[in-house]
Amino acid sequence: MIAQKKKLLFVSLFFLAFMVLFLILNIDRFNSWLNLVGYVLRPVIIGLVLAFLCNPIFRAFERKIFFNVRPQKLRRVLSLVVTYLILFLILFTLIMLIVPQLIESILDFLNSYDSYLANALVNVNDLITFINNSLSTSIPLLEYEEINTSIAEFLAGLDLQNFLDSLLSYTNITTALAILGDVLLVLIDIIFGIFISIYLLYSKERRYAQIMRLRRALFDDRTNTRITNICTVADKSFGGFLRGKLLDSTIVGILVYIIISIMQVPYAVLIAVIIGITDIVPIIGPFIGVIPTAVIILLTDPIKVIPFLLCILIVQQIDGNIIAPKILGENTGVSSLCVMIAITVMGSLWGLVGMVVGVPLFATVLDLTSNYLNARLKEKNLPTETDSYYDAQSEEKISPERKKRPQRKRVASGARHKAGLRAGSEVDQARLYLLAQKHGLLDSPTKENLSKFREEYSSLRSMTPRH
């Protein structure tokens, strides 16, 4: 039986490795197939995503605000109506507040282009003069007329008249109509997606029962339990991350808008929107947003570029250390290395969408892998904590430092006395101190922590050979 399980595991791993290699070698065809499936099922995908994101709000209204409303169907209808009214109100408010100011900011920037260019050239020439005086160089200064003439020649070379004539040609008109048709199809799919999401939320218990009926018919109880665990971990890691990241990026955009408005930085709305949208991409998102916004400020008000960069740095520190951990909770438990790998790999495969979904997808895979490893270790009666598997040599390197700290050594001895254990070697003393610190015995020990401490230390003692 054990041999058969090993063969099955080997075959499964070989098949998985083969499929991964096959997808890598045929990634273009696979992406084309995904695009086709996404195009056909676009209304369903939009409906599923909307229902997934709106479900927490809908559930809060149904269970906490309208819980006294009877019958149950009326309570559900009221919760749905209020949920989608809030969603549409938020979208309408954002559109009415942001879009007009965005258009105004862009038009004003384009109309004031000449003055911004002149100011930028003055600042660049001042910098060149400072470099020439400091390093005794002879870098030529930039002339406004030359730059303006170069831009005019570039625009003249584009032949705008021919460009306008080509726009009015039959081929381009057909292309424009095709693009307009695609936009209308997207709008229609969004409308259908909204109705699909409402239907899914209204009848979610029945949809769940149908899925469970299908699962029970196809799989055994053990497989169904694993599927449920996978879905639970995915909802916690993937769904929690996406909802939390959207809220976190919105807060970051609002904070940036408030601060730069106080600083009287030009085009505050435009800059805050760019920063908020790019912040959705983890780690590299803020840097992507800072570059174009800093260029805009450099052209309009160069003196405020440094204060703006300091503002972004402060906001990112507040977000990374206070806001994001509070909103995302345990979903931020992915190391920076894994985040960079996820962004690089998924971004190269699926672009911006891959960058956004890459981190929660990797978090889900890591959580599932960690759960599997913990289950296997428990079957072997081994500790599940990573701290229990540090090399003894690294602990021996720690122990001489512990000997230089008599106060901590006395505390460790007190913790050892409370646990009723004795350690003979320096390695045992270092391990004992680390475990006592980990379980909180050095501060205010409790019975639960003491019990966990004893179990873990006993398992470590049984694994360590005695000299």
Side-chain angles (χ1 to χ4, degrees), residues 110-128:
L110 294 176
N111 292 330
S112 304
Y113 163 76
D114 291 334
S115 61
Y116 292 151
L117 178 62
N119 292 331
L121 289 178
V122 169
N123 291 307
V124 172
N125 286 332
D126 290 340
L127 178 61
I128 293 174

Side-chain angles (χ1 to χ4, degrees), residues 14-263:
F14 178 80
F15 178 74
L16 180 62
F18 174 78
M19 289 301 299
V20 171
L21 181 61
F22 178 80
L23 289 177
I24 292 175
L25 295 176
N26 298 273
I27 190 64
D28 294 333
R29 294 182 180 180
F30 180 69
N31 286 336
S32 300
W33 179 80
L34 280 182
N35 291 331
L36 178 61
V37 173
Y39 177 77
V40 174
L41 300 178
R42 188 163 54 192
V44 179
I45 296 173
I46 293 173
L48 289 172
V49 172
L50 276 177
F52 182 72
L53 295 176
C54 293
N55 185 53
I57 304 174
F58 167 72
R59 186 169 50 195
F61 278 108
E62 187 178 29
R63 296 182 180 180
K64 296 181 179 180
I65 297 178
F66 300 125
F67 64 94
N68 288 327
V69 177
R70 295 292 185 274
Q72 193 268 343
K73 289 185 178 181
L74 178 60
R75 180 169 70 249
R76 175 146 295 189
V77 170
L78 284 175
S79 301
L80 276 174
V81 170
V82 175
T83 299
Y84 279 86
L85 279 178
I86 291 175
L87 178 64
F88 291 141
L89 182 62
I90 292 174
L91 292 176
F92 179 77
T93 303
L94 290 176
I95 292 173
M96 295 305 296
L97 288 178
I98 294 176
V99 172
Q101 294 194 41
L102 281 176
I103 296 174
E104 181 181 355
S105 299
I106 294 173
L107 293 177
D108 181 64
F109 179 78
L110 294 176
N111 292 330
S112 304
Y113 163 76
D114 291 334
S115 61
Y116 292 151
L117 178 62
N119 292 331
L121 289 178
V122 169
N123 291 307
V124 172
N125 286 332
D126 290 340
L127 178 61
I128 293 174
T129 302
F130 175 77
I131 294 174
N132 289 335
N133 295 333
S134 301
L135 303 178
S136 298
T137 57
S138 57
I139 301 175
L141 299 179
L142 301 178
E143 297 291 339
Y144 174 79
E145 290 76 10
E146 294 179 1
I147 300 295
N148 205 15
T149 302
S150 300
I151 295 175
E153 291 176 355
F154 174 76
L155 294 177
L158 294 178
D159 198 354
L160 294 180
Q161 184 62 42
N162 291 335
F163 177 72
L164 292 176
D165 293 338
S166 64
L167 285 179
L168 298 177
S169 64
Y170 174 78
T171 304
N172 287 324
I173 291 177
T174 305
T175 304
L177 291 176
I179 294 174
L180 181 61
D182 291 338
V183 172
L184 291 177
L185 284 177
V186 171
L187 293 177
I188 293 173
D189 288 342
I190 291 175
I191 294 173
F192 275 109
I194 293 173
F195 283 107
I196 291 174
S197 66
I198 294 174
Y199 177 76
L200 289 174
L201 288 177
Y202 181 79
S203 59
K204 60 180 182 178
E205 287 83 5
R206 183 169 180 81
R207 304 287 81 77
Y208 178 77
Q210 291 174 343
I211 294 173
M212 290 303 300
R213 178 172 175 266
L214 178 64
R215 282 172 48 181
R216 290 297 178 89
L218 297 178
F219 308 110
D220 55 13
D221 292 340
R222 185 177 181 181
T223 304
N224 278 317
T225 301
R226 290 180 179 177
I227 294 174
T228 301
N229 292 335
I230 292 174
C231 293
T232 302
V233 173
D235 178 67
K236 179 183 176 182
S237 300
F238 199 92
F241 183 90
L242 289 181
R243 297 190 195 99
K245 194 60 183 175
L246 289 175
L247 178 60
D248 175 56
S249 301
T250 303
I251 295 175
V252 168
I254 294 173
L255 282 178
V256 170
Y257 173 74
I258 293 173
I259 296 176
I260 63 178
S261 296
I262 296 174
M263 296 168 54

